[in-house]
């Protein structure tokens, strides 16, 4: 409050509609990975009664640190966003589910606000569950309802029937922070940075072969090379760049550096912003081996409820491992499974995200495929991933 000034008090349906219109003008897109327009989610929940708001700070992505850094540094901005979202959808409460490493900081901020009687709504904090799929929106609801950190086994429309059957708005905590600023300063202010189609700033986690790994706030549309420059530039030759996170895409770093960091710009390489992650793979780590490692991790993280996810990801990870280790993979079957598994066939997007990453690896490291078949690998034997989360998380 001291830094940004008070939030506008949202009273009456007209003011709500005007402010949701402002969010639409700002073209705010979700920062949790899917990039869905926030105004559309707000409007869908606002049209119903008895709504509840959930801030998703689970950050299940192992290499990402942006939500933890945001919560640690600006918990009140996230809570302002949760309070604003509640005002916009007519909710009387908001729950922030925060990564266990930082949930105590969020809880302290909530206590501070209670003492100062800042909010008209009830804010609360719940430590998030561990695991890659625990941050999926229906898994967060499941966690809050029954301490089961798995997506619901059948697809659900949370805006209609979410937490305990109530219309539920689930927004990533970074999205909430942007929302807090848009409701204060308006769409024109938000559009002061970023691109015409994708305005605003973005938190990115830079990890791997950069000189100063960490979380940076950047203007959307800044060239990828300039973003890497903020982290002191690349630390040596690279074999690949993973954009967006484990559900993201492998791209050729030499091509990507000149592109704008935006979904539109990265779209030229079949990539997108995802959860705001740029992970640089050093040249002595084989891209196919790293893609196989991530695919195996994601297969193991399946919530074990949908056939294509359980059996499909297991089979895909196995073939990718054979490919990476030169053990004669069945590439025809691998490509067929990629086509079959990633078509919205799970109750959540876990299989889709995984196969998108695998497909991009086959594209970008295609030159390596024949060489691996001949028993040659570009990586140093035994050298595996350096794509660890930056800092102490
Ligand atoms: C397997 C899986 C894991 C996810 N993990 C997270 C997460 O850790 N944090 C998050 O904010 N969104 C995560 N999401 C996306 C959420 O389902 C949801 O789209 C998001 O929280 C909505 O907020 P946003 O519109 O503000 O991005 C995940 C999605 C999937 C399919
Ligand atoms: S697709 Fe996979 S992760 Fe998603 S609900 Fe089904 S089994 Fe669980």
């Amino acid at each position: 409050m001291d830094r940004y000034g008070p939030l506008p008090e949202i009273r009456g349906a007209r003011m709500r509609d005007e402010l949701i219109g402002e969010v639409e003008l700002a073209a705010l897109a979700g920062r949790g990975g899917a990039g869905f327009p926030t105004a559309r989610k707000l409007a869908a929940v606002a049209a119903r009664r008895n709504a509840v708001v959930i801030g998703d700070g689970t950050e299940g992505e192992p290499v990402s640190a942006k939500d933890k850094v945001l919560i640690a540094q600006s918990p009140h901005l996230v809570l302002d966003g949760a309070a604003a979202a509640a005002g916009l959808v007519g909710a009387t409460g908001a729950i922030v589910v925060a990564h266990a490493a930082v949930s105590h900081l969020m809880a302290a901020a909530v206590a501070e606000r209670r003492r100062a009687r800042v909010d008209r709504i009830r804010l609360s904090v719940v430590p998030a569950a561990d695991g890659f799929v625990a941050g999926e929106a229906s898994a967060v609801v499941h966690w809050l309802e029954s301490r089961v950190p798995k997506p619901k086994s059948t697809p659900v429309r949370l805006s209609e029937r979410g937490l305990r059957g109530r219309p539920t708005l689930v927004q990533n905590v970074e999205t909430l922070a942007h929302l807090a600023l848009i409701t204060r300063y308006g769409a024109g202010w938000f559009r002061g940075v970023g691109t015409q189609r994708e305005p605003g700033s973005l938190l990115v986690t830079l990890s791997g072969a950069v000189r100063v790994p960490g979380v940076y706030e950047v203007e959307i549309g800044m060239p990828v090379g300039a973003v890497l420059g903020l982290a002191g530039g690349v630390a040596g030759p690279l074999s690949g760049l993973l954009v967006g996170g484990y559900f993201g895409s492998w791209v050729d770093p030499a091509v990507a550096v000149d592109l704008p960091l935006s979904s539109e710009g990265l779209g030229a390489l079949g990539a997108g912003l995802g959860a705001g992650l740029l992970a640089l793979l050093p040249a002595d780590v084989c891209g196919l081996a790293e893609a196989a490692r991530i695919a195996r991790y994601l297969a193991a993280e399946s919530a074990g409820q949908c056939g294509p996810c359980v059996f499909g990801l297991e089979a895909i990870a196995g073939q990718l491992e054979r490919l990476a280790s030169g053990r004669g993979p069945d590439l025809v079957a691998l490509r067929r499974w990629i086509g079959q598994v990633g078509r919205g066939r799970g109750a959540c997007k876990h299989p889709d995200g995984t196969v998108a990453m695998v497909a991009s690896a086959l594209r970008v490291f295609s030159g390596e495929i024949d060489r691996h078949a001949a028993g040659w690998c570009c990586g140093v034997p035994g050298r595996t991933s350096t794509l660890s989360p930056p800092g102490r998380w």
Side-chain angles (χ1 to χ4, degrees):
M1 296 283 163
D2 287 350
R3 189 179 307 170
Y4 302 107
L7 276 177
E9 202 173 306
I10 302 167
R11 285 184 184 275
R14 193 161 153 203
M15 186 170 179
R16 273 205 238 160
D17 290 348
E18 276 172 15
L19 279 173
I20 293 176
E22 202 64 20
V23 179
E24 191 175 359
L25 278 178
L28 176 63
R31 304 293 200 246
F36 196 82
T38 304
R40 273 167 54 192
K41 287 171 69 168
L42 287 167
V45 179
R48 296 168 189 278
R49 297 167 74 90
N50 199 22
V52 61
V53 170
I54 299 175
D56 189 351
T58 306
E59 197 156 52
E61 171 81 54
V63 193
S64 181
K66 59 130 184 146
D67 292 337
K68 291 182 276 293
V69 166
L70 174 66
I71 289 173
Q73 293 192 358
S74 300
H76 284 292
L77 196 59
V78 173
L79 292 169
D80 284 354
L88 292 174
V89 299
T92 52
I95 305 166
V96 178
V97 177
H99 191 283
V102 289
S103 62
H104 63 292
L105 300 173
M106 196 49 112
V110 167
E112 218 177 317
R113 293 166 85 99
R114 264 194 212 135
R115 281 194 300 275
R117 297 179 192 275
V118 171
D119 301 295
R120 288 160 55 91
I121 62 145
R122 192 179 154 68
L123 288 172
S124 55
V125 180
V126 172
D130 264 350
F132 191 87
V133 300
E136 192 272 342
S138 76
V140 175
V141 168
H142 214 170
W143 174 242
L144 291 174
E145 282 174 348
S146 42
R147 291 294 182 263
V148 177
K150 291 181 179 184
K152 299 275 176 115
S153 54
T154 49
V156 282
R157 204 182 281 271
L158 297 175
S159 58
E160 291 168 14
R161 283 185 62 79
L163 187 66
R164 296 183 186 92
R166 295 165 67 186
T168 303
L169 178 79
V170 180
Q171 300 284 177
N172 171 259
V173 286
E174 184 193 342
T175 315
L176 291 177
H178 290 293
L179 188 66
L181 295 171
I182 293 168
T183 50
R184 277 184 172 100
Y185 307 135
W189 169 85
F190 188 70
R191 286 184 158 279
V193 295
T195 70
Q196 177 64 23
R197 277 203 189 174
E198 295 167 76
S201 66
L202 171 82
L203 294 179
V204 287
T205 307
L206 298 183
S207 86
V210 281
R211 289 192 200 284
V212 193
V215 174
Y216 296 82
E217 183 178 10
V218 302
E219 183 171 346
I220 298 181
M222 194 173 176
V224 170
V227 174
L228 299 178
L230 295 175
V234 296
L238 303 174
S239 59
L241 169 60
L242 181 63
V243 178
Y246 279 11
F247 276 179
S249 298
W250 289 99
V251 298
D252 179 345
V255 180
V257 283
D258 295 325
L259 294 178
L261 186 75
S262 65
S263 290
E264 195 179 11
L266 296 167
L269 299 179
L273 289 175
L277 199 104
L278 293 177
L280 292 95
L281 198 66
D284 60 357
V285 181
C286 168
L288 286 174
E290 181 61 9
R293 185 193 68 77
I294 297 175
R296 170 60 60 202
Y297 165 82
L298 292 172
E301 289 293 305
S302 160
Q305 320 184 104
C306 313
C309 185
V310 177
F311 302 112
L313 297 190
E314 169 67 32
I316 287 169
Q319 288 299 336
L320 206 54
E321 283 165 349
R322 294 185 74 83
L323 173 60
S325 59
R327 281 181 290 136
D330 184 343
L331 281 172
V332 175
L334 176 57
R335 291 188 199 280
R336 191 175 65 244
W337 294 336
I338 287 172
Q340 288 170 344
V341 172
R343 292 213 179 128
R345 295 192 53 214
C348 81
K349 299 279 183 209
H350 188 62
D352 308 51
T354 305
V355 300
M357 184 281 296
V358 173
S360 72
L362 296 185
R363 225 171 30 239
V364 170
F365 305 122
S366 61
E368 297 294 315
I369 294 176
D370 289 342
R371 285 192 266 187
H372 278 74
W376 188 88
C377 176
C378 61
V380 172
R383 184 76 55 89
T384 51
S385 172
T386 53
L387 302 186
S388 50
R392 65 197 161 86
W393 308 110

